[in-house]
Amino acid sequence: MWTKASLCQLITEKLQDYRFIVVSNREPYIHSYSEGKIQVKVPASGLTIALDPVMQACGGTWIAHGSGDADKDVVDPLSKVQVPPQHSNNSHYSLKRVWLSKEDEDGYYYGFANEALWPLCHVVYNRPSFRESDWSTYQKVNHLFAKSILEEVGNNKAFVFIQDYHLALLSKILKEQSRNIISAQFWHIPWPNPESFRICPWQEEILQGLLSNDLLGFHIRYNCNNFMDTVERSLEARVDRDRDEINYNGRKTVVQPFPISVDFEELTAESQKEEVKIEISNLKRRLGLSNEAIGIGIERFDYTKGIPDRFRAIDRFFEKYPEYQQKMVFIQAGVTSRIHIEAYQSLNKEIESLEESINWKYKSGLWEPIIFLRETLPQATLMALRCMADFCVVSPLHDGMNLVAKEFVASRPDENGVLILSIFAGASQELKEALLVNPYATEAFADTIRTALEMPEADKQKRMRRMRSIVQENNVYKWAAEIISYLLKFEFGE
Ligand code: F6P
């Protein structure tokens, strides 16, 4: 079983001569001003939450967009700061920030990454917008990231581990300018089928960018296959499905699934702390809860997450099973996201109006079926929510993996919660003991909520035990170690 310590050992023994550099758009720690003081926030991002413990084990440098209003005030002249803020000597790394103008952010992050690539890759019937100006800014920003990486690498050899769809062109730029770099890229979102992808006017450039990596990872095999099909249709490339390799333009890229995960041991240990019990009773008092059954949902408000569909299922559940009125509450926690994009603004309005109408329909005395926590909650409160829930709903319409599902499982050593999980989340490939739902099928979804509430204890425990052993074994250290071991093969033929 991979642990923080064994990953650390792998890195120290094998990567000595190499700089280890992780690159992503989102940074793991954001410094911002609040009431005149600098505060450090952890963003609501599966990617950063998963990679932070890996970097704490590996050391090295993480390069990301400095998006906080106090970020510039805490870095050194090389734009670096040591993180985590309260670190011990053997678990810290450098966060190097890349500075972007508002125009850069508009065209690259809001525009091309999140109005073109995001809806293109998630099949949720939201039309992508392809704007020439966004595309040029996306290219420009990929060059800015490349410059920052090349400065960091200098004349050294380096393993560069690129994250996600914001940086699809990066490895090509790096490889054109340095022969000392071995690169892997992990695509954290789904890859669509070739028919869907071919509407992108710059599909060739994106594929060429990704095929400049030595290793390209997706969460599940299905996405790897879609990627290989897309390449076969769009480029003069040789796709070898038996060896999971693509040969293009004289270079080879290995394409493999690596299901991302969480720090299982850490979450389990956190969930057993006394503070969590205290936080649960505080939270119950604050929310006016007594003995009601509790369902939870935790996520960024994104149209891929299926929050309106979940609310429709809750509505149908109370309609169909009125005996549960006043006996169950659903706590929806989360933060708004990408709010400059119109699709997100209308999603927020839709969620608000559904919440309002469902609560109005069933409200009785002080009881309301849906409790909304629209704020950035501290980690301790998120843990309390996971631990106090009778069931957790993770119902995306399409999702690469979804770490909320794995976090829930890792937080339940009591083996008592039920996970309701969408068949369209990558996590459903591993967590087969969850109650699987199609979020579009409201009637069956409503019935599944009842099944969760009425499941016999022994059944709950059996399912949770099985899921816990899967997440325990396939933890985030295994994810990172397998990717790094692959990179070592390129260098040492191991
Ligand atoms: O799913 C892709 C992803 O990058 C996740 O890894 C992360 O949870 C989310 O998007 C965060 O989005 P953003 O950085 O735009 O807030």
Side-chain angles (χ1 to χ4, degrees):
M1 183 134 28
W2 282 97
T3 61
K4 198 173 197 161
S6 54
L7 175 65
C8 200
Q9 196 183 342
L10 173 79
I11 305 277
T12 359
E13 279 174 13
K14 306 277 182 168
L15 286 189
Q16 281 162 354
D17 301 339
Y18 279 80
R19 288 280 161 91
F20 183 60
I21 299 174
V22 162
V23 200
S24 69
N25 170 67
R26 183 64 65 204
E27 55 181 346
Y29 297 94
I30 303 176
H31 290 86
S32 52
Y33 284 105
S34 164
E35 295 163 2
K37 283 199 211 123
I38 295 182
Q39 308 257 328
V40 190
K41 281 196 221 137
V42 173
S45 153
L47 180 160
T48 55
I49 289 171
L51 268 161
D52 177 55
V54 170
M55 282 303 278
Q56 288 190 38
C58 300
T61 306
W62 185 331
I63 299 181
H65 169 215
S67 58
D69 56 14
D71 274 359
K72 279 201 173 142
D73 299 334
V74 297
V75 293
D76 67 13
L78 296 175
S79 299
K80 287 185 189 175
V81 59
Q82 293 298 303
V83 289
Q86 266 91 44
H87 56 259
S88 65
N89 269 347
N90 56 3
S91 65
H92 66 103
Y93 59 92
S94 295
L95 170 60
K96 183 179 186 206
R97 287 168 168 155
V98 175
W99 310 113
L100 302 180
S101 66
K102 212 182 245 180
E103 292 71 36
D104 289 342
E105 227 185 307
D106 266 341
Y108 142 83
Y109 173 77
Y110 288 105
F112 197 72
N114 285 316
E115 280 195 276
L117 288 178
W118 181 268
L120 180 69
C121 291
H122 289 91
V123 183
V124 295
Y125 312 103
N126 200 323
R127 190 191 155 121
S129 300
F130 299 109
R131 289 180 290 262
E132 197 74 45
S133 60
D134 290 347
W135 170 240
S136 351
T137 314
Y138 184 83
Q139 290 170 290
K140 175 189 162 196
V141 172
N142 271 249
H143 277 276
L144 285 179
F145 272 85
K147 185 166 174 277
S148 176
I149 297 166
L150 291 166
E151 277 164 12
E152 183 65 17
V153 172
N155 294 325
N156 300 291
K157 294 198 277 183
F159 280 124
V160 179
F161 186 17
I162 305 165
Q163 309 301 315
D164 237 350
Y165 59 100
H166 312 84
L167 301 167
L169 312 176
L170 193 52
S171 71
K172 182 156 188 275
I173 307 168
L174 292 174
K175 295 287 176 71
E176 280 164 0
Q177 298 188 40
S178 167
R179 302 170 74 84
N180 288 343
I181 291 177
I182 294 180
S183 74
Q185 182 146 8
F186 193 80
W187 195 262
H188 288 257
I189 63 176
W191 190 276
N193 63 48
E195 278 311 306
S196 303
F197 194 76
R198 71 196 277 249
I199 64 168
C200 176
W202 302 285
Q203 55 169 324
E204 285 187 15
E205 288 88 334
I206 289 168
L207 294 173
Q208 284 160 354
L210 293 174
L211 290 175
S212 303
N213 286 291
D214 300 283
L215 176 65
L216 180 60
F218 295 91
H219 291 296
I220 55 174
R221 168 73 53 194
Y222 183 69
N223 292 328
C224 297
N225 292 345
N226 276 348
F227 180 79
M228 295 203 236
D229 292 348
T230 308
V231 169
E232 229 163 20
R233 288 265 196 107
S234 320
L235 299 177
E236 289 288 322
R238 196 159 49 78
V239 177
D240 184 337
R241 283 162 202 277
D242 295 332
R243 307 175 74 132
D244 293 327
E245 282 175 15
I246 299 178
N247 287 283
Y248 176 67
N249 224 0
R251 69 170 0 271
K252 181 180 87 180
T253 304
V254 174
V255 181
Q256 278 271 322
F258 299 96
I260 201 169
S261 194
V262 294
D263 185 345
F264 178 89
E265 305 297 343
E266 175 75 14
L267 284 165
T268 295
E270 286 291 318
S271 73
Q272 288 166 317
K273 287 191 174 156
E274 197 50 39
E275 289 105 282
V276 176
K277 289 197 192 103
I278 300 170
E279 185 61 16
I280 291 179
S281 46
N282 289 343
L283 202 54
K284 284 195 170 173
R285 199 170 326 114
R286 180 181 143 201
L287 303 179
L289 300 177
S290 44
N291 293 321
E292 297 89 341
I294 297 171
I296 60 158
I298 303 178
E299 52 254 302
R300 263 183 331 107
F301 298 152
D302 192 293
Y303 54 80
T304 59
K305 302 290 179 191
I307 301 170
D309 307 75
R310 176 185 313 168
F311 283 7
R312 279 189 276 276
I314 292 171
D315 182 10
R316 184 69 188 121
F317 164 78
F318 282 117
E319 208 166 61
K320 214 168 162 185
Y321 307 110
E323 63 277 19
Y324 277 103
Q325 291 178 27
Q326 299 169 62
K327 301 227 169 58
M328 194 275 271
V329 286
F330 188 80
I331 306 176
Q332 177 65 55
V335 284
T336 52
S337 161
R338 306 175 188 167
I339 42 168
H340 304 305
I341 298 174
E342 208 194 308
Y344 287 78
Q345 292 161 6
S346 33
L347 169 80
N348 291 335
K349 283 194 202 121
E350 188 186 3
I351 294 177
E352 211 170 287
S353 118
L354 273 169
E355 175 210 355
E356 195 279 325
S357 66
I358 297 169
N359 277 346
W360 171 248
K361 188 166 164 188
Y362 300 104
K363 184 179 165 63
S364 162
L366 287 176
W367 177 83
E368 286 187 343
I370 299 176
I371 299 178
F372 229 112
L373 302 176
R374 277 189 185 79
E375 59 210 277
T376 311
L377 296 169
Q379 290 303 320
T381 312
L382 293 173
M383 180 55 88
L385 282 172
R386 291 194 289 266
C387 292
M388 71 201 240
D390 294 287
F391 66 96
C392 171
V393 182
V394 176
S395 56
L397 306 180
H398 201 189
D399 210 337
M401 173 52 68
N402 198 298
L403 291 182
V404 174
K406 292 186 174 181
E407 282 169 341
F408 179 64
V409 167
S411 308
R412 296 308 294 256
D414 66 347
E415 300 175 343
N416 245 333
V418 179
L419 175 64
I420 298 181
L421 178 60
S422 164
I423 50 173
F424 307 121
S428 67
Q429 305 276 310
E430 289 171 88
L431 304 178
K432 295 194 191 305
E433 310 294 323
L435 293 181
L436 297 177
V437 286
N438 170 354
Y440 292 91
T442 311
E443 201 68 21
F445 196 163
D447 289 342
T448 307
I449 295 176
R450 188 170 82 141
T451 309
L453 287 167
E454 296 183 359
M455 188 181 285
E457 203 103 311
D459 193 5
K460 272 191 213 176
Q461 290 176 346
K462 199 167 126 211
R463 286 168 181 266
M464 187 53 91
R465 205 171 306 134
R466 176 91 191 99
M467 290 193 287
R468 281 178 61 77
S469 77
I470 289 169
V471 181
Q472 182 170 30
E473 189 187 331
N474 301 292
N475 61 23
V476 72
Y477 299 112
K478 180 174 176 194
W479 175 79
E482 287 189 344
I483 292 174
I484 292 167
S485 306
Y486 241 102
L487 289 177
L488 289 167
K489 281 190 207 168
F490 298 125
E491 178 57 0
F492 305 118
E494 290 196 359

